[in-house]
Amino acid sequence: MTDDTNTNPDTNATTAPSNTTVTPDDISRYSLAFESDRANRVAANAAVSNGVLAAATSYRGVRDLPRDFNVQLKQGSITNQRRSGRCWMFASLNTLRYEVMHRWNLDDFEFSENYLFFWDKIEKANVYLENVLATLDEPTDSRTFEVINEGPVDDGGWWQMFVNLADKYGLVPKSAYPESANSMDSDAFVQYLNTVLRGFAARLREAHAQGADMARLRQMKDDDMAVVYRMTAIALGEPPTHFEFTARTKGDADDGEAAEDVEKNGGEKKADDSADAGADAASADDSAAPAPKDGTENYDGTDRSGIIHEESITPLEFMHKYVPVSPDDFVTLCNAPMDRTPFGKRYAIKWSTNVAGTEQMTFVNVPMDTLRDAAVRQLEAGHPLWFACDCMQFALRGKGIFDPATVRVDELFGIELPYEKGEAIEYGDAPSNHAMTLTGVNLDADGRPNRWKVENSWGKTAGEDGYFVASNDWFDRYVTELVVRTDLLDDATRAILGTPVVEVEPWEPLTRPCE
């Protein structure tokens, strides 16, 4: 810009330039500076021809981030959320399916994501209409109503939303309720369901303004929900109330290998405690350990040929019988290092639940050391972790890499990236937007993590057969939430669980639903 800066000789203060437009002279100076630097011309050639990320990729960074991990879990086949925002569901179910596979000695297993997707639409629609009824006198341009009305049944969510759905509706295997065209590509269905719901909201508010009592408004809402159910059933198909389930366990020759599912320290294997824990739970729960029928079944419900078979079982019965951990036995930790959210407290986000009558999205804000140590502790104990992050930062989807030392946009553009983590969250530059599953970590000679194995839900063509590697630097900067088993928390963090929650507004820059 033109140099119209003025300095007051009395105060020695500098005032802003009077000319606020970009002038032709400014452009000439910018261009001259650009063209005079050989590095700029080389960078432009690379970026224009190949794109920013490819041009910024450091071969040294790729070389220095191997895909070997001295603690890693054996997971099932990679999953694929396709063109939907269900990552939080996939990551949640991938976390639990690991426990199912290793409790029941299965080669592979996948839950039905479509089943929870159906109930998530029903419950989010119900919560939206309930929120409309709770804010009938709120102006439509108020910040609260804008948050409520932003995306009534959008796909995104958190671990706690998964827990709400599983507790109410149970879980089913994928064979009982496969994917549909609209679960794999959800945009059109969600668009029109949102449109219908906003129309319902307008009618409810209009009836209230005309003097309708709450009984009348609730009758209108009940009629609205019947329409929501019809639309969802047409788009996704009605979910099963009972289903048949058959699975074959691995043979005796594989039993030892199945129990040793945590590889540690260069090939040495650490036995997983989850199998014993599951067996203990099964022996303590009659529903999980049916009495033998005519002497052909073992204590765990399988027959002697290694077949698990259920003629007719409900989703809740299935979850309680075959999932060896409860979704409620986890807590969400968050690392949001901002002045407005001191560490060592529980926070709850207003208007954030997806099931009426359940608590809002709640998390414990802890320092990064605490978050990182919890992740290592849980992986070493033989259990994967759900986590949320900003997956757009320093990410190479094709290569399966999350790493600032590999994606050198700073070198490509000749810039310094300005943000510390708290500042990036505060200014909306690095919100959580994607959930995945941690299934491994590499520890250095001092026991500190230097890279992480990440199971994604973008199919086998993303990353290396669906898996990504994240440097610890990236983990510290961009992982914002981690779901940890309560029994594996450190004592100081566990003590925070009994403290009152601090409510925060839904627009505060703490966390965002993951898609």
Side-chain angles (χ1 to χ4, degrees):
M1 293 185 183
T2 56
D3 189 5
D4 294 332
T5 303
N6 297 313
T7 301
N8 186 320
D10 296 328
T11 62
N12 203 30
T14 301
T15 60
S18 58
N19 189 345
T20 58
T21 64
V22 178
T23 68
D25 286 343
D26 294 331
I27 298 298
S28 294
R29 286 189 296 105
Y30 303 155
S31 178
L32 181 62
F34 177 85
E35 291 292 345
S36 65
D37 190 331
R38 172 182 173 277
N40 291 336
R41 299 194 302 274
V42 172
N45 288 336
V48 170
S49 300
N50 302 292
V52 166
L53 293 181
T57 299
S58 164
Y59 75 88
R60 289 190 177 92
V62 175
R63 180 187 299 169
D64 292 341
L65 197 64
R67 296 176 184 271
D68 300 319
F69 306 90
N70 49 28
V71 178
Q72 62 179 329
L73 311 183
K74 296 179 181 178
Q75 181 62 293
S77 301
I78 206 72
T79 56
N80 194 342
Q81 68 187 82
R82 299 187 186 273
R83 295 179 58 85
S84 72
R86 298 175 293 163
C87 67
W88 57 283
M89 248 179 231
F90 275 75
S92 301
L93 293 172
N94 286 341
T95 300
L96 291 194
R97 74 168 174 148
Y98 174 89
E99 308 291 352
V100 171
M101 287 172 53
H102 293 278
R103 164 63 183 90
W104 298 98
N105 200 17
L106 305 178
D107 274 320
D108 203 358
F109 179 79
E110 187 174 350
F111 287 105
S112 169
E113 298 87 5
N114 195 24
Y115 177 76
L116 289 186
F117 190 60
F118 181 99
W119 293 118
D120 185 57
K121 296 311 177 203
I122 298 296
E123 291 293 343
K124 280 179 177 172
N126 181 65
V127 163
Y128 172 70
L129 294 177
E130 285 296 316
N131 289 343
V132 169
L133 292 176
T135 57
L136 289 169
D137 296 317
E138 190 82 17
T140 55
D141 62 353
S142 75
R143 203 165 188 184
T144 295
F145 190 78
E146 286 177 348
V147 166
I148 290 170
N149 196 52
E150 183 177 358
V153 293
D154 284 359
D155 286 357
W158 294 285
W159 165 268
Q160 198 162 312
M161 287 184 171
F162 161 75
V163 174
N164 294 340
L165 295 171
D167 282 348
K168 185 169 184 177
Y169 294 104
L171 301 170
V172 306
K174 194 156 194 168
S175 58
Y177 193 54
E179 293 279 64
S180 67
N182 292 300
S183 63
M184 294 186 292
D185 189 351
S186 62
D187 282 353
F189 168 50
V190 170
Q191 174 188 337
Y192 291 109
L193 187 52
N194 276 337
T195 295
V196 167
L197 283 166
R198 291 185 179 116
F200 290 158
R203 301 291 80 78
L204 287 169
R205 292 171 65 90
E206 180 182 350
H208 169 68
Q210 293 175 355
D213 61 14
M214 187 55 68
R216 172 59 185 147
L217 296 178
R218 288 214 163 273
Q219 181 58 56
M220 291 175 63
K221 182 227 165 183
D222 186 62
D223 295 341
D224 295 343
M225 284 302 300
V227 175
V228 169
Y229 186 92
R230 182 175 73 241
M231 292 179 66
T232 307
I234 288 172
L236 303 177
E238 284 196 285
T241 58
H242 294 74
F243 58 91
E244 181 179 334
F245 173 64
T246 302
R248 182 180 295 276
T249 65
K250 289 190 284 188
D252 292 340
D254 295 330
D255 288 348
E257 182 180 353
E260 295 174 340
D261 56 1
V262 183
E263 296 183 0
K264 186 177 179 184
N265 296 332
E268 295 181 14
K269 295 180 179 179
K270 177 180 178 181
D272 178 17
D273 295 334
S274 64
D276 294 336
D280 292 343
S283 62
D285 183 352
D286 290 340
S287 67
K293 300 176 183 178
D294 67 26
T296 62
E297 289 189 343
N298 297 324
Y299 81 96
D300 60 4
T302 64
D303 65 25
R304 287 174 180 170
S305 64
I307 299 293
I308 298 172
H309 183 70
E310 297 285 352
E311 286 288 342
S312 178
I313 190 169
T314 71
L316 279 169
E317 288 171 345
F318 180 81
M319 182 179 74
H320 293 151
K321 182 172 182 177
Y322 288 103
V323 181
V325 293
S326 169
D328 295 287
D329 293 339
F330 297 80
V331 62
T332 300
L333 304 183
C334 183
N335 177 246
M338 299 184 294
D339 290 341
R340 68 170 77 188
T341 52
F343 293 137
K345 295 181 181 295
R346 295 173 66 218
Y347 296 90
I349 302 174
K350 297 177 183 177
W351 309 101
S352 63
T353 188
N354 64 332
V355 175
T358 62
E359 67 178 12
Q360 306 300 328
M361 165 62 185
T362 305
F363 59 88
V364 178
N365 197 21
V366 298
M368 179 47 70
D369 286 350
T370 300
L371 195 80
R372 194 188 314 109
D373 291 348
V376 171
R377 187 163 51 248
Q378 186 154 316
L379 288 168
E380 287 192 307
H383 307 286
L385 300 97
W386 186 105
F387 77 100
C389 64
D390 181 358
C391 73
M392 304 303 293
Q393 298 284 0
F394 302 99
L396 297 177
R397 181 167 182 155
K399 294 181 181 296
I401 289 175
F402 297 122
D403 181 27
T406 298
V407 187
R408 298 306 303 265
V409 292
D410 55 337
E411 292 183 343
L412 178 68
F413 292 117
I415 58 174
E416 290 186 11
L417 296 170
Y419 297 124
E420 296 294 331
K421 185 174 186 177
E423 196 175 38
I425 295 173
E426 185 85 44
Y427 282 82
D429 189 64
S432 56
N433 51 37
H434 189 51
M436 296 177 283
T437 310
L438 290 176
T439 61
V441 62
N442 194 74
L443 305 176
D444 64 18
D446 296 318
R448 294 187 297 262
N450 52 31
R451 58 183 179 271
W452 303 82
K453 185 176 184 180
V454 176
E455 178 189 8
N456 208 341
S457 55
W458 291 345
K460 294 191 69 174
T461 58
E464 187 173 278
D465 292 329
Y467 286 90
F468 284 56
V469 56
S471 68
N472 192 66
D473 183 28
W474 182 89
F475 183 95
D476 284 359
R477 290 195 205 184
Y478 299 111
V479 171
T480 51
E481 296 162 43
L482 197 69
V483 173
V484 180
R485 291 168 62 113
T486 306
D487 61 343
L488 292 176
L489 290 174
D490 63 277
D491 292 340
T493 304
R494 189 179 295 110
I496 301 171
L497 300 182
T499 61
V501 297
V502 178
E503 284 196 320
V504 296
E505 299 295 343
W507 51 80
E508 293 196 40
L510 296 175
T511 177
R512 293 289 179 265
C514 297
E515 298 182 349

